[in-house]
Amino acid sequence: MSLVELTNGGPLAGKVRKLTILGATGSIGCSTLDVVAHQPDRFEVVALVGNRNVELLAEQAINCRAKVAVTADAGLYDALKEKLAGSGVEAAAGMGAVMEAARRPADIVVAAIVGAAGLKPTLAAAEQGTTIALANKECLVCAGEVFNSAMRKYGAQLLPVDSEHSAVFQVFEQKQRDQVDQIILTASGGPFRSATYEQLKEVTPEQALKHPNWDMGPKITIDSATLMNKGLELIEAYHLFPVEPGQLDAVIHPQSIVHSMVSYCDGSVLAQLGVPDMRTPIAYALAWPSRMPAPVERLDLAKIGQLTFEPIDSDKFPSVGLCLGCLETGGSATAVMNASNEVAVAEFLSDRIGFLGITELTREVLNEADAAGMLGNMTSLDEVSDADEFGRRKAGELAQRLQK
Amino acid sequence: MSLVELTNGGPLAGKVRKLTILGATGSIGCSTLDVVAHQPDRFEVVALVGNRNVELLAEQAINCRAKVAVTADAGLYDALKEKLAGSGVEAAAGMGAVMEAARRPADIVVAAIVGAAGLKPTLAAAEQGTTIALANKECLVCAGEVFNSAMRKYGAQLLPVDSEHSAVFQVFEQKQRDQVDQIILTASGGPFRSATYEQLKEVTPEQALKHPNWDMGPKITIDSATLMNKGLELIEAYHLFPVEPGQLDAVIHPQSIVHSMVSYCDGSVLAQLGVPDMRTPIAYALAWPSRMPAPVERLDLAKIGQLTFEPIDSDKFPSVGLCLGCLETGGSATAVMNASNEVAVAEFLSDRIGFLGITELTREVLNEADAAGMLGNMTSLDEVSDADEFGRRKAGELAQRLQK
């Protein structure tokens, strides 16, 4: 990545980096701590913020010698304090403590709290004008403009942690931004890549909860099966990189080795490849603008043998087009869409609507929002909440209609 | 490519670039002129240097409005002058005129004269401290240290034009040079990728002159069939990028879509992809550190479907290991090797030695050079010539032994 303003490795080069992790006990948090454990001299952990798994949180905090461990659940303060007794790690609990931890001076804050709950702590961390390694989708999908304008206001630097966006970031030449043709995200295609449209109608939650390459939670797994996950990532890419919606595309690549690509006006396509392991993009964000070793398997293409690519069938997987349409619409469309998708996924997981009904329901909510004049520009988090609430309420109502 | 010293596009940004092409009538020269013809406002052609094809040379010079057209053959002065009559393009001929043309002030000189003949004109161009887009292999393979030290002395900037080295250049982050694990060049594998060792013994010149992806001359085509071409490119990569011989590797990739890769300590592998078309790397070199449109087909991975990779069988293709061994040996080893390979290829094309004899002969010459104490360091072009001459002479002698 060409970053002319950061000569000689930037302001953090060679310095021990103060690190805070929001969402320490989740998948990204655990991977981050694993990366850091292999590079102990480079980092000093300030705060670990978790939710209800205080046992793991305390163990992590003791191992990495964090200054403070925070559970979002105020009721778990005593449990956490007890587990930290004698360790020298401070205990704290409740949302106020989460916000306070996010504001503690740090050189880099990993924002990995899942869902809408991650938005406010991430913005609190940004207020110190630090570097935010962003793993939370909602900050950009629901609140893209609002979030980015806050980042600019505070002078915070955003770095992507998603494997796809990290890949793009690694090969998106800032100085050649006017020469970029397209950002092309790769999608594994999920478990139903080869299914027919008719077969997709009959897909059960159990079938959909299988995913070939990454270990993820149920919501993201369903989003991967519908390719909504890729649509959401296209929305994130739009907010992370200086491109227009028409410059965003996705291609199916079942092996998940090519993590994404950027094409340029001279016919060059730059790509980042690697074994599917989140510790690579995490290490990249933590060491940026330099790099540092990550405890991951090395890519051996001769051993892998082949990489395959397929176009996305928009009949089977309309979610990608739906998301790009939301970007063209602008305003609150992506926030409404994201909220209704969450409801739709829950309805599907409870076996109340069919697999194809997920995107159908979401599209219908968007139509109603449009008809109701609800898709205007958003300039505050309150408006983001309103759009989110509208999407959820409308999706709940409409779910009745689609019920099996 | 991260080039901190060249902020805002570097000294040439937005400026019309004065361009000279050494080797205008060859494949690279023609492609360069095609690229330039599509971007006429960006370039002003100073000199076109060709060999004996004065008809094409004159046509090119008139079309691109060059200041001067030069044929290396002094005897063709009148023919060239006649063809240029009334065009306003100056005619010149002979080696002195070639050197004079190379020294004319230009912002970028494409050095595409094939073979050892390209060395002196390229060095003459470098004397003006300009940017050299290097397509000539011998400058680096035979005279790597001498050539690089001249580049440094004159303050000239070297840019690769080969598709493989351009690919590496595009994804080799200068600021992350200490974090580079490997440079991995891709090789099409040539026409005998799937042949057995026994079958290779029987290969005829006619069979070897077929090559699946690029349109090239006979010497390079044979080098592609033996994979010597890849070995030579590994030697060039060693001189172009700050790596050790042990960090260089190659992998077979028959589709020639991934043009080469750089792997980093965090598990990331960055690659440049594209349809096989020299106009992309040429456009990259001409527009660097920016980019400009090239008249090439766009890569559509979904349409291509699959990319395959295989390890290189060192029994069948010992040339790659031989070249890496020459880099480990250092000194004049690569110059001796290159010269004896040229003789060996000619012997094979004349059907006097077998296909496997090409590398065998070359290896034997190296052994004799080593035994004769001929593989020392070289600090001048005279020493490069001596090494070259030794390799040719010895190869000629040894060829007798191996004759069928």
Side-chain angles (χ1 to χ4, degrees):
Chain A
M1 182 60 52
S2 168
L3 291 143
V4 293
E5 64 277 28
L6 289 166
T7 38
N8 301 319
L12 297 180
K15 174 183 155 194
V16 173
R17 294 183 174 193
K18 291 194 168 116
L19 171 72
T20 282
I21 305 176
L22 308 176
T25 55
S27 162
I28 295 293
C30 291
S31 293
T32 303
L33 284 167
D34 186 39
V35 169
V36 168
H38 285 81
Q39 299 288 325
D41 298 340
R42 292 175 190 254
F43 298 96
E44 189 184 307
V45 178
V46 177
L48 294 187
V49 172
N51 196 11
R52 299 182 50 83
N53 189 350
V54 291
E55 186 147 10
L56 177 58
L57 180 65
E59 187 191 317
Q60 290 177 327
I62 292 166
N63 286 343
C64 73
R65 300 176 187 190
K67 299 273 174 295
V68 59
V70 186
T71 165
D73 188 334
L76 291 172
Y77 176 74
D78 290 343
L80 179 62
K81 195 175 166 65
E82 187 187 329
K83 290 187 199 307
L84 292 172
S87 69
V89 181
E90 187 188 333
M95 273 314 292
V98 170
M99 298 296 278
E100 191 272 331
R103 289 195 183 96
R104 285 204 186 191
D107 298 309
I108 183 160
V109 177
V110 176
I113 295 174
V114 175
L119 194 48
K120 284 184 180 171
T122 303
L123 283 170
E127 280 173 28
Q128 46 173 304
T130 188
T131 297
I132 306 285
L134 188 70
N136 170 285
K137 275 188 157 33
E138 283 71 13
C139 289
L140 292 176
V141 170
C142 307
E145 272 83 16
V146 175
F147 187 78
N148 269 339
S149 105
M151 291 290 120
R152 277 192 298 274
K153 180 177 153 195
Y154 302 133
Q157 169 71 50
L158 204 57
L159 300 178
V161 168
D162 250 17
S163 62
E164 290 81 356
H165 301 110
S166 177
V168 172
F169 187 52
Q170 291 183 48
V171 296
F172 191 104
E173 304 287 346
Q174 299 282 10
K175 276 188 300 182
Q176 299 173 349
R177 57 200 287 170
D178 295 338
Q179 280 84 44
V180 168
D181 262 5
Q182 280 198 306
I183 286 175
I184 305 152
L185 302 189
T186 52
S188 74
F192 309 121
R193 178 170 60 88
S194 309
T196 63
Y197 184 81
E198 291 305 312
Q199 285 169 331
L200 286 186
K201 286 184 182 168
E202 310 300 327
V203 161
T204 65
E206 293 67 37
Q207 292 170 323
L209 286 170
K210 293 177 193 155
H211 188 278
N213 290 310
W214 303 87
D215 183 21
M216 307 171 302
K219 159 67 167 60
I220 300 179
T221 301
I222 301 303
D223 283 347
S224 291
T226 59
L227 299 203
M228 175 54 87
N229 199 38
K230 208 50 54 181
L232 297 177
E233 287 170 8
L234 288 167
I235 296 170
E236 291 179 271
Y238 172 75
H239 293 295
L240 285 166
F241 305 101
V243 291
E244 297 302 315
Q247 292 176 278
L248 294 166
D249 203 359
V251 64
I252 289 178
H253 168 48
Q255 297 82 19
S256 296
I257 296 296
V258 177
H259 296 315
S260 282
M261 298 171 270
V262 176
S263 69
Y264 292 87
C265 63
D266 57 11
S268 284
V269 175
L270 303 190
Q272 187 254 4
L273 295 76
V275 296
D277 190 322
M278 284 308 296
R279 289 172 295 184
T280 291
I282 288 169
Y284 185 74
L286 293 183
W288 180 88
S290 186
R291 291 182 188 261
M292 67 182 189
V296 302
E297 194 193 329
R298 301 292 133 169
L299 179 64
D300 182 345
L301 282 175
K303 198 168 144 201
I304 288 168
Q306 72 167 8
L307 306 176
T308 63
F309 301 87
E310 302 165 20
I312 293 175
D313 181 331
S314 58
D315 290 332
K316 282 161 55 184
F317 303 109
S319 52
V320 174
L322 187 67
C323 288
L324 289 175
C326 287
L327 279 181
E328 298 279 2
T329 303
S332 65
T334 59
V336 170
M337 192 275 304
N338 181 66
S340 47
N341 177 60
E342 275 190 29
V343 172
V345 169
E347 293 286 318
F348 168 72
L349 285 173
S350 308
D351 217 6
R352 285 193 292 267
I353 65 171
F355 183 77
L356 291 173
I358 299 171
T359 313
E360 219 176 301
L361 175 60
T362 305
R363 187 188 300 279
E364 195 50 43
V365 171
L366 280 163
N367 289 340
E368 299 222 358
D370 192 18
M374 281 293 297
L375 298 181
N377 280 336
M378 304 184 297
T379 54
S380 71
L381 285 184
D382 285 345
E383 289 173 309
V384 173
S385 291
D386 290 349
D388 184 88
E389 206 181 294
F390 177 91
R392 278 173 213 282
R393 196 182 65 241
K394 203 46 93 178
E397 291 165 24
L398 287 170
Q400 306 295 327
R401 274 197 226 161
L402 285 161
Q403 278 191 14
K404 296 199 208 179
Chain B
M1 182 61 48
S2 168
L3 291 144
V4 293
E5 65 276 27
L6 290 165
T7 39
N8 301 320
L12 298 181
K15 176 183 154 193
V16 173
R17 294 183 175 193
K18 292 195 168 111
L19 171 72
T20 282
I21 306 178
L22 307 176
T25 54
S27 161
I28 295 292
C30 291
S31 294
T32 303
L33 285 169
D34 186 39
V35 169
V36 168
H38 284 81
Q39 299 290 323
D41 297 341
R42 293 175 189 254
F43 299 96
E44 189 185 308
V45 179
V46 176
L48 294 187
V49 173
N51 197 9
R52 299 183 51 84
N53 190 350
V54 289
E55 187 147 10
L56 177 58
L57 181 64
E59 186 191 317
Q60 290 176 327
I62 292 167
N63 285 343
C64 74
R65 302 175 187 193
K67 298 273 174 293
V68 60
V70 186
T71 164
D73 188 334
L76 292 172
Y77 176 74
D78 290 342
L80 179 62
K81 195 173 167 66
E82 187 187 330
K83 289 186 199 307
L84 291 172
S87 69
V89 181
E90 187 188 334
M95 274 316 292
V98 170
M99 298 297 278
E100 191 272 331
R103 288 194 184 96
R104 286 205 186 190
D107 297 309
I108 182 160
V109 177
V110 175
I113 294 175
V114 175
L119 194 48
K120 284 184 179 170
T122 304
L123 283 170
E127 280 172 28
Q128 47 173 303
T130 189
T131 297
I132 306 285
L134 188 70
N136 169 285
K137 276 188 157 32
E138 283 71 12
C139 289
L140 292 175
V141 170
C142 308
E145 271 84 15
V146 175
F147 187 78
N148 270 339
S149 107
M151 291 289 120
R152 277 192 299 273
K153 179 177 154 196
Y154 301 132
Q157 170 70 51
L158 203 57
L159 300 179
V161 167
D162 250 15
S163 62
E164 291 82 356
H165 301 110
S166 177
V168 172
F169 188 52
Q170 291 184 47
V171 296
F172 191 104
E173 303 286 348
Q174 298 282 9
K175 276 190 299 184
Q176 299 173 350
R177 58 201 285 170
D178 296 337
Q179 280 84 45
V180 168
D181 263 5
Q182 281 197 306
I183 287 175
I184 305 152
L185 302 189
T186 52
S188 74
F192 309 120
R193 177 170 61 87
S194 309
T196 63
Y197 184 82
E198 291 305 313
Q199 286 169 330
L200 286 186
K201 285 185 186 170
E202 310 302 326
V203 162
T204 65
E206 293 66 37
Q207 292 169 326
L209 286 170
K210 294 176 190 156
H211 188 277
N213 290 309
W214 304 89
D215 183 22
M216 306 173 301
K219 158 68 166 59
I220 300 179
T221 302
I222 301 303
D223 283 347
S224 291
T226 59
L227 297 203
M228 175 56 85
N229 201 39
K230 209 49 53 180
L232 297 178
E233 287 171 7
L234 288 166
I235 295 170
E236 291 180 88
Y238 172 75
H239 293 296
L240 285 167
F241 304 102
V243 293
E244 296 301 316
Q247 292 176 279
L248 294 166
D249 203 0
V251 65
I252 288 178
H253 168 48
Q255 297 81 19
S256 297
I257 296 295
V258 177
H259 297 313
S260 281
M261 298 171 270
V262 176
S263 69
Y264 292 87
C265 62
D266 57 11
S268 284
V269 176
L270 302 190
Q272 188 254 4
L273 295 77
V275 296
D277 190 322
M278 283 309 295
R279 290 172 295 183
T280 291
I282 288 168
Y284 185 75
L286 294 183
W288 180 88
S290 186
R291 290 182 188 260
M292 66 182 189
V296 301
E297 193 192 331
R298 302 292 133 169
L299 179 65
D300 182 346
L301 282 175
K303 198 169 142 200
I304 288 170
Q306 71 167 9
L307 306 176
T308 63
F309 301 87
E310 302 164 20
I312 293 175
D313 181 331
S314 58
D315 290 332
K316 281 161 54 183
F317 302 109
S319 52
V320 175
L322 187 67
C323 287
L324 289 175
C326 286
L327 280 180
E328 297 280 2
T329 302
S332 65
T334 59
V336 170
M337 193 276 304
N338 180 65
S340 47
N341 177 62
E342 276 191 28
V343 172
V345 169
E347 293 285 319
F348 168 71
L349 284 173
S350 308
D351 218 7
R352 285 193 292 267
I353 65 171
F355 183 77
L356 291 173
I358 300 171
T359 313
E360 220 176 301
L361 174 61
T362 306
R363 187 189 300 281
E364 194 50 43
V365 171
L366 280 164
N367 288 341
E368 298 221 359
D370 193 19
M374 281 293 299
L375 299 181
N377 280 336
M378 303 184 298
T379 54
S380 71
L381 285 186
D382 286 344
E383 287 173 312
V384 173
S385 291
D386 290 348
D388 184 87
E389 204 181 299
F390 178 91
R392 278 173 214 280
R393 196 181 65 241
K394 203 44 94 176
E397 291 166 23
L398 286 171
Q400 306 296 327
R401 275 197 227 162
L402 285 162
Q403 279 191 13
K404 296 201 212 178

